């Protein structure tokens, strides 16, 4: 751990997208590539101004594909690299998200989600991309995704995203949405010396055939370019040295499974949840902005004598199985709230259905987070 | 018979647009006094008699807010106007 | 827990969202409160729909949406059509009379101000209509203190335009009528 | 007086009563130029399929034009239009979209459509900026201009679209500014009658975003700028590169005949059928 | 229903990819756009030759994005349109898969899956894309996906794919893989007059404001281009007439939910499964090529006196919830077999865990379908 | 005798003992030309990052070259390389990939890199076909040729890459065939020393796929074809289009000076730092 | 249920996969059996690894993979290195002696044929080495009938090359040695 | 001292490649009799004395299977060979 070199310490009233950008700056981000898109543009716009002030580069690419590719390239060139987009951009990036996973490249991807499918409504937030970021590229893999619920967390979790990306050599997604991206609230930025950053580990042995650069479940040091390490980086099936191997089933198996295991075996260190359901009869399971509705609803319920708790998934991927199982083992009723038609709901039920009743409630209108009163009604129905 | 009709509800305002004023070779438009329902001030014609029906104002208006009646024309035929 | 909710709406380009930001900023930076500002707008850069919602509270804001505002500031007829019915019973409406002709009978506390023409004809800066509205709002409610709001406005308008905006604010403050 | 109906109004969907562009936006000038071209060629809206992408300019036909309209994803209208044209070779398939849409994210489809010489008429609205998303640098933004994504002045060079599309293989390429609505109409007419890929680049004003970034000012100021900086291609060919710096070369860049893709397909299928009998 | 116009009737020994192409021809496909990619190329290569013979067009596009876009365009132009690719291509198509969903465009997408993530191993099959085709585009939506297990089914299910695509105005995926795509087996093609095809419904009212063109849960007729219908097609949030509406939450809600409901309310008509677990103590739940391993393993088990049944999901999306619930309600042990790390497993557990024990077994080496003996061993362990 | 080591072998990874190309493939000629350029410029492999896409040609540096090597997805090497170059502006970033990779799926990145004038050296292997996937039509396949995806003869026109990239804005563009290995080496050297975007188009033989499709035959026959159809650009400029049909114009298409993107960034950051002090 | 499993492997360009297809075709189209043919190859078009697996059975093939083949036809040393150890106990190996120098001792039933040199020097058509191997296979096993296999080969080789391929087949049939 | 070494294990065969034979201005290569271990027939030198060490064969060989020793040269210096 090292300390941040710069941070705009103080109390601010600004948008989530601004907080995210300042979080990236505090995290030492020095390369951003992106393509404008509502409701994410402010991150890029602001970075275009802010990065050169701290010696960083902002590249507006020809499209989102070029954005993620150049970010991966920059990461291999030794940069702390980020791209920012919304759902349509994530969709376009899917192929090369897989490339980053397979080459174990640390990058941070900000997804300021909007209502969709397709062009949908650019300015309205929704949690529509929560499964696509984990399963939307072909083949099999694991990424990490964090779900902020406020501008403050867009700052905090962006820093965390960089730290985990560097620790595990994996793309990390910040799953914001248009609602908090454009929301303005109080944002407290601590002084730089109170911000801890993870430094990248780089190997020292010069010959790649004498190193393990890839497929280490314990995470291999990253042979960044420009240091005479003769790194060989390919997303074709490769062995521990990065050398292509398209014929041996055992290598293929390791090629797919080891980067998955790398994340899953560190699940406990990666996953963060917020549990507040002691003695509850029902727990509201949420992530992202809906969590705020859930807490408001739980308060309303408690005021009416109903024992309602909350479980908030701050990390959605790797999926917090343990936390769900724990909740299911302690509470009889789980009510899953999502600002979509129920995308994580099956994943939650998979872990909970053996032990608890699990139900789902979407918002009255997709794109508008739940009215706490609507949640309360459903809670009453379940507890009746 | 009038040569020019300003469809003022369509106009987006002489202050931010004002293209009609700029392209009229006879300088026949000025700001009107009334706002339309969207809060924009349309142009008004000062001297219809001088209008040559060159159609510039119609062709350039980005909001199709001006109609020039060629058949009512008594000036020279419309040419390539000011657009080169 | 005091919590006041406001909707401010207009057409794209009228500065409703900016006005909402100024309110939030005033509350957080100068009145020492908590505020949440959210917004919506359609894709057209001008003329489409735009709205901001501001919640001002003594504690951190938990539920961040405004469903039934205490106050509706309306800069266009469209805003009335969209939001008047959502107003909390007993809530108040502050409207730009230049842009709005019909208001539903259900609304009781109505404050009126010809913000667009004041901005255009008296401030000579059409884009200050939103600041006129803020002046009116400031007069009609105790959502934020006048000193805080003036400070926030000054901080957020382009340098060199401070005076005109302060004029607009003052004219709004002075000329609002109702309820 | 307001009972008067604009003569081009007949081409619009009745329920669409207003455009959504900003005051003074050049898109409206192009709208008229397109519709006037259709009128002068005596074509019907049913002869057309309009395809557009995402961006302010992409809203020119959608939903305004009373015709089959395919409003697609950002950057892809040419790719969609290629499928439409191959499926309906007898229709006029016109693409209307922005410089960002067609040359940034969509650049590849544009050069490939030109290469294939598929019979599309592409009206490319070059306003030098990303209008809809709030004024970011486009591939057409002149070097040095400060946009919201190049606040210290753009470090990149810009595309000269028309000649690039010529070198990609287009059969017809013309460029005019919104200061040239009559020439523009003529060029669109020519594009529509061309058997092959036709690009009409329209240098247009975005007073809101480009006006601010370039510090040129409002609609009229940009139009004046177009007027005083336009140079006919015939003249430009005789000028040296230094003189042409900052100029807008207008006119016809190419106008050639070569086999068009959808008719080549019709021919092939026809000949296969013959061969079988 | 009409009859096919042409079909290469007879018994053939050829590859799955060939069977798929002939299936498309029999289904009346007359427009294919694609970009070469292993292990899917043979479909496109063969179509390039075959289509002109039946009056159809093959377009080799500049990339997969252009392929799906032109296929959607062609569908609106009235064609029966198909694209074919493998995982990397699906990833690139994600944005415009969402466009097809949102504009309710019938198209068929053949995914001959290969081992991944990323470039992976082009020639080795894997079931890595089974969730990405359903959840890989941003926002919320439902598609249909069919999983063949043999070259014969690549023929049969391609025809079915066209029929369901036209019935429900939705993209339909055929989830083949490199293994059966390149596998050669006996393929029986019936005569054309024994092949039933669904015809597209086209509205007759000329004014789109007087029609419902979109968002009909009962499936609206499709206002194809070129017929004077003045169709307005946009994937931006739109109303029933196709007119853009970016401001009304109720319209947004319908915009997202109605195309989802359109599929889910017809789930029973769409979903096809093969159940063979009467009196079983354990049921092997599978889809795609692994199903063949499962049947072989069940046979081995029964030979040893173990009561093992099989449940094969021919339709994987919309997810066959009912079939899983039924199996779970009848059999105490479910063993899920997938040629990936367990992608559908959570979806299956979500429906079954309340009633049964559900476990997962991947193949020894990803990319090589399970050895029936390895399945048998796991079965014994579970039944012990 | 086999104890002799090829002089360029020192640039290769020791454990990579054989190339994976087909007999007579032109990729090996380009491999040597690249390595010889490096040798003649007296550069070290540590001065380089090689970036390639997917395709036979993309395997030229990967895994053969003993240097940092980024073997990327199909069509994207230029986009990856842009990030690498901006992160390591002092290194030579060389892209080696095929015509399909760089001008079909990757065409947009190529024209945009040329526009930006970012300091990459792109060696584009134009074999007129998709080699790796089995002989499909490439955007460079001459019209009329029957490939596996154009069995009745390609109906599409082909790209003339070098001049198109000139018009997109490249600072240096040259084209040679594999029949010109020495000129090729010189052009690569020039590209490497150019401050700006350099494209070296290598017209090369794919005896297996293109040889079959074009019916030209094997490696030697295609080389002979190159020899007899190559025309120097200086001469070509004086010929009329009809005469040039079917010819391969070789030589330098452009060689100009203009600001390069990564150094512009270095300059900007430097000046911001100064401004701050 | 009779089920015979075969692996045929070589380097890219040697035609192993095509040979496998011919076997399958012979079984299905001419011997009235069921067959499943699967394949694998590396990305290099020439020289890389290539293999086909053929299952021939009297009933439809359920499990389509070959794990322990009854027969291994090896056209290159690489094929031996990859597959010799998978051979079923008692399985047989048919190998091109021009291309293979070492075979593991574990393999018992070995048939040998210098297919590459026969194809090159006697058939004068280097690409027919795979057909030579098929000839040898046909002689050494009763997997498919000779008449069926000859018919399949004729159907699948380019017109005009039939004779050379029949020569190759015959030479393989006649010259194979072992076990 | 020899001027030319053929690294025959690297060669992909004169029948399918044969570029060395084509580019040698002195026509000094012919097919050898032996296959290499990959089954390819490399070229062999017929008359080393006539070799001018022009390096064509080395530079054109796609598989780096030929090394020409310039220092052993006694002919004219290497020029632009046949490659134009
Ligand atoms: C995949 C994707 N990326 C980004 C966007 C956001 N976006 C919408 S319009 C636009 C730019 C439009 O610019 P241009 O084409 O020049 O049109 P203009 O508004 O200037 O007319 C962008 C980037 C999008 N909708 N989809
Ligand atoms: C996204 C994606 N689409 C398609 C492919 C399949 N693919 C691999 S290489 C290639 C073409 C290569 O052609 P070219 O770049 O000309 O290289 P060559 O093999 O001819 O040298 C294709 C289409 C892929 N790997 N990824
Ligand atoms: S040109 Fe049209 S929109 Fe502009 S001011 Fe004149 S009438 Fe109004
Ligand atoms: S028609 Fe011509 S002269 Fe008449 S008002 Fe319009 S622009 Fe002026
Ligand atoms: S932002 Fe620019 S391009 Fe878009 S409508 Fe406004 S003026 Fe026109
Ligand atoms: S297929 Fe063509 S390009 Fe690829 S290695 Fe073989 S000869 Fe070279
Ligand atoms: S160096 Fe020149 S002369 Fe000598 S063998 Fe090689 S090509 Fe022939
Ligand atoms: S050029 Fe090289 S690879 Fe080709 S035949 Fe000669 S020595 Fe062999
Ligand atoms: Mg633009
Ligand atoms: Mg190629």
């Amino acid at each position: 751990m090292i300390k941040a070199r710069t941070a705009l310490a103080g109390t601010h009233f600004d948008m989530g997208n601004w907080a995210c950008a300042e979080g990236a700056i505090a995290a030492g981000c020095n390369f951003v590539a992106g393509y404008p898109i509502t409701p994410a543009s402010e991150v890029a716009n602001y970075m275009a101004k802010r990065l050169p002030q701290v010696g960083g580069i902002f590249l507006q690419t020809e499209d989102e594909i070029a954005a993620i590719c150049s970010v991966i390239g920059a990461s291999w060139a030794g940069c702390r690299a980020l791209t920012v987009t919304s759902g349509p951009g994530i969709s376009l990036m899917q192929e090369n998200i897989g490339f980053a996973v397979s080459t174990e490249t640390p990058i941070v991807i900000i997804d300021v989600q909007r209502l969709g499918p397709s062009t949908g409504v650019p300015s309205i937030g929704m949690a529509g991309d929560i499964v696509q970021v984990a399963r939307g590229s072909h083949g099999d893999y694991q990424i990490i995704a964090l779900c902020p619920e406020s501008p403050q967390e867009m700052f905090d979790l962006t820093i965390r995203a960089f730290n985990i990306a560097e620790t595990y050599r994996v793309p990390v997604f910040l799953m914001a949405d248009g609602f908090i991206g454009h929301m303005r609230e109080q944002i407290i930025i601590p002084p730089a010396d109170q911000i801890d950053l993870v430094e990248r580990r780089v190997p020292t042995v010069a010959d790649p055939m004498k190193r393990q650069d890839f497929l280490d479940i314990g995470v291999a040091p990253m042979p960044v370019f420009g240091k005479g390490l003769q790194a060989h980086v390919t997303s074709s099936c490769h062995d521990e040295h990065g050398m292509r191997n398209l014929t041996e089933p055992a290598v293929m198996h390791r090629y797919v499974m080891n980067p998955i295991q790398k994340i899953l075996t560190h699940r406990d260190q990666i996953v963060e949840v917020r549990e507040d359901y002691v003695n509850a009869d029902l727990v509201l399971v949420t992530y992202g902005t809906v969590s705020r509705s859930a807490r408001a609803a739980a308060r309303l319920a408690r005021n009416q004598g109903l024992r309602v708790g909350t479980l908030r998934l701050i990390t959605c991927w790797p999926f917090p199985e343990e936390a769900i199982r724990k909740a299911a083992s302690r509470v009889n009723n789980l009510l899953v709230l999502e600002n979509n038609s129920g995308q994580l709901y099956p994943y939650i039920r998979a872990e909970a259905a053996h032990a608890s009743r699990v139900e789902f409630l979407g918002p009255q209108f997709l794109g508008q987070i739940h009215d706490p009163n609507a949640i309360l009604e459903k809670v009453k129905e379940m507890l009746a | 018979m009038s040569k020019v009709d300003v469809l003022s509800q369509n106009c987006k305002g002489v202050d931010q647009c004002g293209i009609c004023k700029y392209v009229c070779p006879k300088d026949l438009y000025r700001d009107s006094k009334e706002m339309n329902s969207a809060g924009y001030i349309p142009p008004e014609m000062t001297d219809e008699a001088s209008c040559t029906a060159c159609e510039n104002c119609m062709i350039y208006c980005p909001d199709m807010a001006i109609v020039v009646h060629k058949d009512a024309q008594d000036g020279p035929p419309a040419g390539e106007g000011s657009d080169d | 827990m005091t919590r006041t909710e406001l909707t401010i709406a207009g057409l794209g380009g009228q500065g409703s969202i900016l006005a909402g930001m100024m309110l939030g900023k005033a509350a957080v930076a100068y009145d020492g409160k908590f505020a949440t500002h959210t917004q919506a707008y359609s894709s057209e850069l001008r003329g489409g729909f735009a709205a901001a919602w501001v919640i001002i509270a003594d504690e951190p804001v938990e539920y961040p949406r405004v469903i039934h505002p205490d106050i509706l500031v309306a800069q266009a007829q469209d805003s009335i059509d969209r939001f008047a019915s959502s107003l909390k019973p007993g809530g108040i409406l502050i409207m730009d009379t230049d842009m709005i002709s019909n208001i539903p009978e259900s609304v009781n506390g109505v404050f009126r101000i010809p913000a667009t023409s004041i901005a255009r004809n008296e401030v000579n800066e059409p884009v200050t209509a939103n600041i006129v509205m803020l002046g009116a709002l400031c007069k009609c409610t105790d959502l934020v203190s006048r000193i805080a709001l003036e400070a926030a406005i000054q901080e957020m308008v382009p340098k060199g335009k401070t005076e005109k905006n302060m004029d607009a604010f003052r004219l709004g403050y002075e000329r609002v009528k109702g309820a | 007086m307001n009972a008067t109906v604009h003569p081009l109004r007949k081409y619009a969907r009745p329920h669409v009563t207003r455009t959504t562009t900003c005051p003074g936006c050049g898109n409206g000038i192009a709208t008229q130029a397109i519709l006037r071209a259709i009128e002068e060629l005596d074509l019907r809206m049913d002869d057309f399929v309009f395809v557009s992408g995402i961006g302010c300019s992409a809203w020119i036909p959608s939903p305004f034009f009373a015709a089959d309209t395919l409003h697609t994803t950002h950057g892809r209208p040419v790719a969609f239009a290629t499928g439409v044209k191959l499926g309906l070779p007898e229709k006029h398939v016109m693409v209307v979209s922005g410089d960002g849409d067609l040359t940034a994210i969509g650049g590849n489809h544009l050069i490939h459509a030109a290469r294939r010489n598929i019979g599309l008429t592409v009206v490319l609205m070059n306003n030098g900026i990303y209008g809809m998303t709030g004024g970011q640098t486009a591939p057409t933004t002149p070097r040095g201009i400060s946009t919201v994504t190049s606040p210290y002045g753009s470090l990149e060079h810009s595309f000269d679209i028309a000649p690039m599309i010529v070198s990609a293989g287009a059969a017809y390429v013309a460029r005019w500014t919104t200061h040239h609505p009559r020439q523009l109409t003529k060029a669109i007419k020519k594009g529509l009658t061309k058997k092959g890929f036709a690009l009409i680049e329209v240098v247009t004003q975005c007073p809101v975003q480009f006006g601010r970034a370039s510090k040129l000012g409002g609609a009229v100021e940009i139009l004046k700028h177009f007027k005083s900086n336009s140079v006919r291609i015939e003249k430009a060919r005789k000028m040296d590169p230094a003189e042409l710096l900052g100029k807008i070369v207008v006119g016809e860049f190419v106008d050639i005949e070569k086999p068009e893709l959808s008719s080549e397909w019709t021919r092939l299928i026809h000949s296969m059928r013959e061969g079988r009998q």
Side-chain angles (χ1 to χ4, degrees), chain A residues 35-66:
Chain A
Y35 189 76
I37 188 165
T38 306
S41 294
E42 294 83 6
V43 180
N45 296 354
Y46 184 71
M47 279 306 217
K49 188 163 181 181
R50 192 75 171 88
L51 274 169
Q53 297 171 354
V54 297
I57 289 177
F58 173 80
L59 176 73
Q60 184 179 319
T61 47
E62 54 274 26
D63 62 12
E64 289 88 347
I65 298 176

Side-chain angles (χ1 to χ4, degrees), chain C residues 62-156:
Chain C
E62 197 154 68
Y63 178 62
R65 272 183 66 206
V66 172
I67 298 178
H68 296 297
D70 301 284
I71 305 163
L72 170 61
V73 180
Q75 297 192 260
Q77 185 64 45
D78 175 77
S79 324
I80 295 289
D81 303 346
R82 285 179 200 274
F83 297 111
S85 64
S86 72
L87 201 56
K88 195 171 279 179
I92 65 165
L93 166 68
I94 303 168
M95 63 178 239
D96 181 344
T97 49
D98 290 326
M99 303 297 294
I100 296 168
S101 40
N102 307 312
I103 58 166
E105 294 184 4
S106 62
V107 184
N108 285 320
V110 184
F111 295 90
R112 293 163 210 270
I113 174 105
T116 300
S117 50
I118 290 175
R120 191 187 296 274
N121 306 327
E122 303 187 41
V123 187
N124 285 319
E125 192 77 75
V127 295
T128 61
N130 58 343
I131 308 296
V132 177
M133 296 304 288
L134 284 184
L137 171 76
C138 189
K139 174 73 171 295
C140 309
T141 70
D142 53 4
L143 192 62
V144 289
S145 64
R146 178 166 182 172
I147 189 163
L149 190 48
E150 286 183 343
I153 292 169
Q154 288 182 28
E155 201 181 319
M156 293 171 79

Side-chain angles (χ1 to χ4, degrees), chain D residues 53-265:
Chain D
I54 301 285
C56 296
S57 320
W59 287 18
I60 288 177
S62 158
F64 197 59
F65 291 4
D68 290 329
T69 324
L70 185 61
H71 182 246
T72 71
T73 46
H74 185 43
R76 316 301 170 190
V78 169
F80 281 94
T82 299
V84 173
K85 179 71 183 177
L86 289 172
L88 290 169
E90 71 288 359
K91 295 284 171 186
H92 289 286
V93 179
M94 179 183 277
V95 173
V96 187
S97 224
D99 46 354
D101 190 82
L102 291 170
T103 75
I105 186 167
N108 209 29
H109 308 304
L110 189 66
I111 58 177
H112 279 275
R115 172 180 67 75
R116 291 189 178 106
N117 197 34
I118 176 135
L120 308 177
T121 310
V122 178
V123 177
L124 185 157
M125 301 301 296
N126 180 353
N127 56 12
I129 200 102
Y130 285 5
M132 179 162 279
T133 44
Q136 292 86 356
T137 313
T140 46
T141 303
R143 193 174 142 77
I145 281 188
S146 300
T147 71
V148 302
T149 47
S150 59
Y152 308 105
S154 159
L155 303 179
E156 301 188 0
H157 308 267
S158 56
F159 272 146
D160 194 3
I161 298 173
M164 182 169 77
I165 301 311
V166 172
S167 77
Y172 181 78
V173 174
R175 172 156 63 201
W176 295 101
T177 80
T178 42
H179 209 290
H180 305 86
R182 293 183 176 83
Q183 293 88 333
L184 185 53
T185 302
K186 266 191 219 153
I188 295 169
K189 282 163 70 177
K190 228 165 151 177
L192 282 172
T193 44
K194 182 90 218 167
K195 219 172 164 56
F197 183 84
L199 174 82
I200 294 96
E201 181 183 348
V202 186
V203 177
T204 179
Q205 76 275 19
C206 166
V208 172
Q209 304 297 357
F210 188 79
R212 183 183 57 182
S214 65
K215 301 187 180 66
L216 276 174
V220 169
E221 286 68 36
I222 308 182
L223 282 172
K224 285 181 184 160
H225 170 84
F226 290 166
K227 182 181 167 78
S228 49
N229 287 286
S230 293
V231 179
R232 294 272 188 163
I233 187 163
E234 296 75 16
K235 190 172 158 198
R237 288 203 171 114
K238 290 174 208 134
M239 290 161 71
D240 66 37
E243 281 181 289
L244 278 171
L245 252 172
K247 297 291 179 207
I248 306 162
V249 178
V250 296
E252 278 184 1
F253 285 70
V254 78
D255 181 5
I256 53 175
E257 302 299 324
K258 54 198 267 199
E260 187 271 335
L261 186 62
S262 70
S263 23
E264 286 293 284
W265 268 105

Side-chain angles (χ1 to χ4, degrees), chain A residues 3-26:
Chain A
K3 295 297 172 185
R5 282 171 49 208
T6 178
L8 220 61
T11 300
H12 306 263
F13 180 76
D14 217 316
M15 25 165 109
N17 282 347
W18 178 91
C20 170
E22 278 298 341
I25 295 289

